[in-house]
Amino acid sequence: MATRVEVPEAPRDLPARGATKRSPALRRVRRWLTAYAFLAPAIALFAVFGVYTVVYGFLLSFNNWNGLAPHWTWVGLQNFKTLVSDEIIGPQVRKSVGITAIVMVALPTLVVAISLPLAFALNSIRRFQTALRTIYFLPYVTFGIAIFYAWRFMYDPDGVVNATLRAIGLDRLAPLDGFLGSTSTALPATIAVLVWASVPLGILLYLTGLQTIDQSLLEAARLEGAGVLMLLRRVVWPLLAPITALLVIIMMREALQGFALFLLMTNGGPLESTNVLGLETYTLSFGARSTNLGLASALGWSLFVVALILSLINLRLLRSRTQVR
Amino acid sequence: MGRIAKGVALAVLTAYVVVSLYPFVWMASGAFKDRRDVLQSASPVPDHPSLGAFRDVWRDLDFPRLLFNSARITVLDIVLILFVFPLAAYAFAVLRFPGRRLLYLAFVAALLVPGITVLLPLVILDTKLGLADTPWAIVFPLANAAGPVAVLLLKSYFEAIPRELHEAARLDGYGELRIYRKVYYPLARPALITVAVLNVVASWNEYVLPSVTINSPGQRTLPLGLQNLLSTNVVQWNQVMAAALILVVPVIVMYVLLQRYVTDGLRGAVKG
């Protein structure tokens, strides 16, 4: 078996049988070289923009650097200590941890609670299913600055949300500074957008799961007189548990890492009430407080460790699921 | 299912259609309103429909340049991704070589690293390589970030292609590169489209990377222009919505045309 070296216009000489005369060791080495030639572009890209940056960030987190000085100053674990116990940074980070924790609980809970019934309803109808799926998915694919700004427009003090509240006589619920301008409403308002954009993924996953459930099982339960709610709770929910677990983990990771929405909708405000950890890292890296990039790296790496733990849990869950089958 | 349950299901589904589309409706309606109406009227239908906002945005923002820059980054990104990762996926799926499992694991493990963790090092690297303020400062990191999912999807696609095809091509005297180009790459078209669509959306919408690597106005992308529009003192919401609409419409059109590929890709990516 001949394995040709990677010349684009490789001539078709040397029929396969002719090559078998070469020594097996040589052929094996050529085969390996071919494989690595295929991998070379990906490895080059990955080495520079993947591995290098990860290692660089890791090393930087043990140093002090203002971004301009010619050299780093090694400080060991000092940056990690600063994040926890510094008089100014410490409380800031703790506040961000609290806000992020709220998002990490609220986002998965709401996405599961909204997308499961919707998927169940969608699965039960035959007509319009495709059209509805297309529409439901729009928030997910368009997620980005344009959508964030559309929501800001609606949340504006004189925007449609406030106008609607006033029109139906609920003036008290309409914040004067708009939903994003008040410390008590900004976080719920941004979480609502995050939920709105994530529910489609939940619907997609649950729908896939529902379609794999044996229909005769549902039919049997129905014949025994189980109502819809009973069906959902006793049959569908347990069967979809692995998908719920997957969805919860994905949403928790999103809550932990995502910050573009907060950057563009509130920039962490008002009064840091929406300053999630990802955004705090961004601000320490590029914002007004980016005086020590080692500190920003330390926070970025702390996030990485938590994300890694979540992913390992995810892997465990996936494993245990495949073992059952 | 009972008639009542069915009725409830339909009501819930319809209500959620409204929820899903509501911001899009307001974006479109705001874009066609004039300066005064945009915040005063609570009706989604403009009282004095006008294209003024589009005209203003097109003129004030140097829109053709923004569109060109965004399109250029998207095209470069997709070309790079569709060149680099199918090759790698083919090696992982079809070829046998030492270090295969380890290398594959390292590739896919990159999925675990949060974007924010490597954002600062990426910007420093872009500067060091002299890429800052060029499209490449965005293209290379975006392509690299797309790697794990692309390799995951393409590898499983290549693995599903019957091995006999490979053997037959070998017997015809084809080398690996020819087999890849003439047999595997064309057969993987659905997976390639999936990868392309997911990344077109991602790079077209990308705000964070350009915001920290682009300085000169001539290199600005559409999301940066949109951001610029909102950071002015008096926000003209009709203009912001007009620009947002121009940004979002291509994504919607592409998604509606190619949605099967999008959902297939997401299912595959999530499970991997």
Side-chain angles (χ1 to χ4, degrees):
Chain A
M1 300 264 164
T3 306
R4 306 233 33 103
V5 187
E6 307 321 315
V7 184
E9 254 52 73
R12 289 184 64 172
D13 58 1
L14 264 189
R17 272 167 227 92
T20 51
K21 280 179 195 145
R22 260 185 256 141
S23 85
L26 193 69
R27 271 191 289 126
R28 201 179 315 137
V29 171
R30 284 194 65 167
R31 211 160 59 211
W32 295 352
L33 286 178
T34 310
Y36 277 99
F38 270 87
L39 285 166
I43 291 177
L45 191 65
F46 183 53
V48 178
F49 289 89
V51 178
Y52 174 85
T53 51
V54 170
V55 173
Y56 185 97
F58 181 67
L59 294 178
L60 181 54
S61 66
F62 301 103
N63 288 272
N64 278 350
W65 188 45
N66 63 8
L68 299 167
H71 298 291
W72 297 356
T73 319
W74 177 265
V75 291
L77 290 170
Q78 186 56 49
N79 285 328
F80 292 92
K81 279 187 205 141
T82 303
L83 290 175
V84 179
S85 55
D86 183 82
E87 274 174 25
I88 299 161
I89 309 275
Q92 198 112 44
V93 170
R94 275 196 295 278
K95 183 163 189 192
S96 288
V97 168
I99 295 165
T100 309
I102 294 175
V103 184
M104 282 175 80
V105 173
L107 181 63
T109 312
L110 292 170
V111 169
V112 168
I114 295 171
S115 59
L116 179 56
L118 280 171
F120 190 67
L122 197 55
N123 193 45
S124 73
I125 62 162
R126 246 171 251 124
R127 288 171 68 194
F128 306 122
Q129 213 197 71
T130 327
L132 287 174
R133 264 174 46 186
T134 308
I135 293 170
Y136 289 163
F137 219 68
L138 281 176
Y140 187 84
V141 282
T142 52
F143 188 73
I145 183 168
I147 282 303
F148 304 156
Y149 281 5
W151 279 92
R152 270 181 78 164
F153 173 46
M154 298 198 302
Y155 281 146
D156 188 275
D158 294 317
V160 63
V161 180
N162 268 359
T164 311
L165 287 174
R166 289 191 192 115
I168 55 176
L170 293 170
D171 298 54
R172 271 181 309 133
L173 292 181
L176 277 180
D177 298 320
F179 274 82
L180 298 177
S182 139
T183 47
S184 58
T185 52
L187 189 59
T190 38
I191 290 176
V193 181
L194 215 47
V195 171
W196 174 82
S198 308
V199 160
L201 187 68
I203 295 179
L204 175 74
L205 293 182
Y206 277 132
L207 208 54
T208 314
L210 281 169
Q211 277 154 4
T212 60
I213 291 181
D214 195 352
Q215 287 305 309
S216 60
L217 203 66
L218 297 181
E219 204 52 51
R222 212 170 287 145
L223 285 178
E224 283 179 25
V228 175
L229 285 181
M230 178 83 111
L231 210 64
L232 258 172
R233 217 178 53 185
R234 293 288 165 81
V235 184
V236 175
W237 177 253
L239 282 174
L240 292 180
I243 291 184
T244 305
L246 183 69
L247 188 59
V248 166
I249 297 278
I250 294 175
M251 288 301 121
M252 285 176 83
R253 284 198 53 158
E254 173 60 36
L256 183 69
Q257 307 168 6
F259 66 97
L261 181 142
F262 297 95
L263 174 68
L264 288 164
M265 286 191 73
T266 61
N267 200 11
L271 293 174
E272 318 246 297
S273 60
T274 57
N275 193 29
V276 290
L277 277 171
L279 188 56
E280 174 71 7
T281 314
Y282 178 89
T283 315
L284 286 176
S285 305
F286 306 104
R289 288 183 281 122
S290 60
T291 47
N292 178 9
L293 298 181
L295 199 61
S297 278
L299 187 51
W301 263 83
S302 310
L303 283 182
F304 183 13
V305 171
V306 181
L308 202 63
I309 293 169
L310 284 177
S311 301
L312 289 179
I313 298 172
N314 189 17
L315 212 64
R316 265 305 269 275
L317 289 172
L318 285 175
R319 271 249 171 87
S320 59
R321 188 176 60 175
T322 38
Q323 270 165 10
V324 171
R325 277 185 191 160
Chain B
M1 188 171 291
R3 201 174 294 162
I4 298 169
K6 202 140 218 169
V8 172
L10 272 175
V12 169
L13 291 171
T14 317
Y16 207 74
V17 166
V18 177
V19 174
S20 293
L21 295 182
Y22 205 59
F24 296 102
V25 169
W26 277 95
M27 188 192 287
S29 105
F32 290 102
K33 283 179 177 173
D34 62 24
R35 268 173 86 165
R36 199 108 39 84
D37 283 353
V38 71
L39 281 179
Q40 309 258 302
S41 102
S43 152
V45 184
D47 291 336
H48 315 283
S50 108
L51 291 172
F54 289 94
R55 206 173 42 230
D56 294 346
V57 177
W58 198 270
R59 195 191 48 226
D60 298 348
L61 277 185
D62 197 1
F63 229 88
R65 164 115 334 240
L66 296 180
L67 276 172
F68 172 78
N69 286 338
S70 271
R72 182 172 56 177
I73 285 172
T74 304
V75 169
L76 290 173
D77 186 40
I78 301 306
V79 169
L80 190 64
I81 288 171
L82 290 187
F83 169 69
V84 172
F85 299 118
L87 277 171
Y90 180 80
F92 287 131
V94 179
L95 306 177
R96 297 289 170 268
F97 57 93
R100 181 170 147 263
R101 291 194 67 165
L102 196 71
L103 209 55
Y104 179 67
L105 219 66
F107 250 100
V108 176
L111 207 55
L112 305 179
V113 185
I116 182 64
T117 305
V118 289
L119 184 63
L120 176 65
L122 271 176
V123 175
I124 296 170
L125 177 68
D126 275 340
T127 312
K128 276 187 183 168
L129 295 176
L131 301 176
D133 221 16
T134 75
W136 300 107
I138 297 142
V139 170
F140 283 130
L142 276 187
N144 178 64
V149 170
V151 168
L152 213 76
L153 289 174
L154 291 165
K155 176 178 175 268
S156 63
Y157 206 90
F158 283 144
E159 276 168 347
I161 295 174
R163 192 78 194 170
E164 287 78 24
L165 275 177
H166 190 263
E167 310 283 318
R170 275 281 188 76
L171 290 175
D172 277 345
Y174 276 32
E176 288 297 345
L177 190 61
R178 271 177 83 107
I179 300 179
Y180 168 75
R181 278 176 44 200
K182 303 280 173 189
V183 183
Y184 278 72
Y185 200 84
L187 279 175
R189 225 178 81 154
L192 293 169
I193 297 176
T194 297
V195 170
V197 173
L198 292 179
N199 287 296
V200 165
V201 175
S203 72
W204 183 255
N205 267 335
E206 176 67 30
Y207 166 77
V208 172
L209 260 174
S211 81
V212 289
T213 53
I214 299 294
N215 296 313
S216 47
Q219 293 288 345
R220 261 192 220 140
T221 60
L222 213 45
L224 291 186
L226 184 53
Q227 196 273 335
N228 210 40
L229 207 54
L230 199 75
S231 54
T232 49
N233 286 332
V234 185
V235 177
Q236 310 240 324
W237 277 114
N238 58 340
Q239 292 185 13
V240 177
M241 288 303 100
L245 198 64
I246 298 175
L247 188 114
V248 103
V249 162
V251 175
I252 295 179
V253 170
M254 193 182 64
Y255 160 68
V256 170
L257 292 177
L258 299 170
Q259 54 174 312
R260 184 165 65 86
Y261 298 101
V262 179
T263 44
D264 282 1
L266 283 172
R267 276 198 206 107
V270 159
K271 281 177 188 152

